[in-house]
Amino acid sequence: MSIPDAATKRAALRRQLQDESFIIAPAVHDVFSLRLVERAGYRSACISGAMLAMALLGQPDIGLLGLAESVEHCRRLVRVAGIPITADADAGYGNARGAYHTVELFEEAGAAGVNLEDQVVPRRHGAGAGKEVVSVAEMCGKIRAACRARRDTNFLVIVRTDACAVESVDDVLARVLAYEQAGADLILPMAPRGAAEIDSLVRALRIPVTISAGTGLAAAPSAGRVPLARLRELGVRRISLTTLLPAAATAGMEEALQVLQTVGGGGSTARAARLHTPTPSPTTSASSEPGAEPLAAVYGAALLPVLMQAEAQHAFESALLDDGRG
């Protein structure tokens, strides 16, 4: 199998953004998921830091996965990928100098681009509460450093903002316009406050808006609970599906183990534990697409935080951070 080089893949993703009105990038976490994405005909993919943290550390996405670990995992996937893959660089692992170094490493690893976010470190998880963001000036410095670090101009600097959780709509808009001016290639608003805010961002920005939409099969908090079809109507140019394949794999593995128990017996402890696993509610499992049946991936997405004891992990994190603030 002939694998395109990194520059060719980066150029291909840049062309997709120029030529295509809507791009779906499923998240891949291993070569199994990568091959399935390629087999299904998707022309780009992404790596979710949240899914890596769960899969490799058994922890929520709170910045515990190190730069070297993330880069090496990216390198392993990219070297066997026939499609461009973007990576998750958290907040750039430090100040502007850290962001510069981070981009150097991910570009050397073959990534087609990185997500760079404006949360204060230590960061909070996903679309949850209690977030803080750095100043616009500090984040613009990181963006300029990231753009300066890349050798290939097709390497994408995807700037994520978590300001929707803590700032007014007008302030968020001013912030992302400054990010665009600093050199961002795409803007990723995390957990926007519905379709109206997404629409205002799409209309104001000259660069594409990308949204993290969970499984894509149910309206996700990270996407402002706006269904996939509506996001496309609003002019969102790219969707990353961070939990689709890990969730589907989780649901499939659980089902396989259940079948094994009926065939071969055993697993009494697992059966007892499963009795305490909540079943996704109808509102959680309902597909966002009209006429579509709920899929195992939606159930799996609800199961992931249960397996990782996410509620307890977040409570523990909050207690530690609050204690540290005195």
Side-chain angles (χ1 to χ4, degrees):
M1 178 180 176
S2 176
I3 302 294
D5 63 27
T8 299
K9 288 184 280 190
R10 292 186 195 114
L13 183 53
R14 181 72 75 169
R15 282 195 302 273
Q16 289 176 40
L17 286 168
Q18 292 170 348
D19 299 341
E20 299 179 20
S21 61
F22 193 64
I23 296 169
I24 293 179
V28 295
H29 56 286
D30 59 15
V31 179
F32 292 123
S33 53
L34 169 62
R35 287 289 179 257
L36 289 170
V37 167
E38 292 175 330
R39 181 186 174 98
Y42 290 98
R43 298 172 59 202
S44 66
C46 65
I47 298 173
S48 164
M51 295 302 101
L52 284 191
M54 286 186 181
L56 300 180
L57 302 181
Q59 300 283 349
D61 186 21
I62 54 174
L64 299 180
L65 196 66
L67 173 58
E69 294 168 294
S70 297
V71 169
E72 188 55 35
H73 196 86
C74 173
R75 189 191 315 278
R76 292 191 185 108
L77 289 175
V78 167
R79 69 178 298 273
V80 296
I83 59 176
I85 300 176
T86 61
D88 189 341
D90 282 349
Y93 298 93
N95 54 16
R97 184 64 185 90
Y100 187 100
H101 180 60
T102 295
V103 167
E104 284 186 309
L105 293 184
F106 274 111
E107 184 173 10
E108 288 171 4
V114 291
N115 289 6
L116 189 66
E117 65 189 52
D118 59 7
Q119 275 205 71
V120 168
V121 178
R123 66 192 297 281
R124 296 298 180 110
H125 168 66
K131 294 181 180 180
E132 298 174 274
V133 291
V134 301
S135 69
V136 173
E138 180 179 343
M139 189 61 192
C140 285
K142 287 187 178 184
I143 296 167
R144 287 191 291 268
C147 293
R148 185 177 176 182
R150 61 186 173 187
R151 297 182 180 181
D152 185 346
T153 56
N154 285 323
F155 183 95
L156 297 176
V157 177
I158 304 165
V159 180
R160 164 179 157 171
T161 182
D162 285 80
C164 298
V166 294
E167 294 183 350
S168 70
V169 173
D170 288 342
D171 286 345
V172 171
L173 189 56
R175 177 179 282 267
V176 298
L177 287 171
Y179 293 172
E180 178 183 57
Q181 186 67 29
D185 293 299
L186 296 92
I187 295 293
L188 194 172
M190 178 56 66
R193 288 156 286 200
E197 184 166 27
I198 295 171
D199 183 59
S200 69
L201 294 173
V202 169
R203 290 177 182 276
L205 290 162
R206 295 188 301 269
I207 58 176
V209 170
T210 179
I211 295 284
S212 176
T215 65
L217 305 173
S222 60
R225 301 193 183 279
V226 178
L228 203 62
R230 179 62 176 144
L231 291 172
R232 183 171 190 165
E233 290 172 357
L234 290 168
V236 172
R237 293 287 309 287
R238 175 179 177 266
I239 298 292
S240 56
L241 301 181
T242 52
T243 59
L244 175 66
L245 296 181
T250 299
M253 287 187 284
E254 183 184 55
E255 181 179 0
L257 290 168
Q258 291 175 8
V259 172
L260 177 62
Q261 288 166 4
T262 64
V263 173
S268 58
T269 303
R271 281 198 299 273
R274 196 169 60 250
L275 294 175
H276 301 286
T277 301
T279 300
S281 66
T283 55
T284 302
S285 61
S287 170
S288 61
E289 303 299 330
E293 292 296 327
L295 296 180
V298 183
Y299 169 75
L303 184 58
L304 283 173
V306 176
L307 295 177
M308 297 300 150
Q309 299 179 312
E311 187 174 340
Q313 294 274 18
H314 293 154
F316 178 64
E317 174 207 3
S318 295
L320 289 177
L321 295 179
D322 292 343
D323 183 61
R325 293 189 180 100

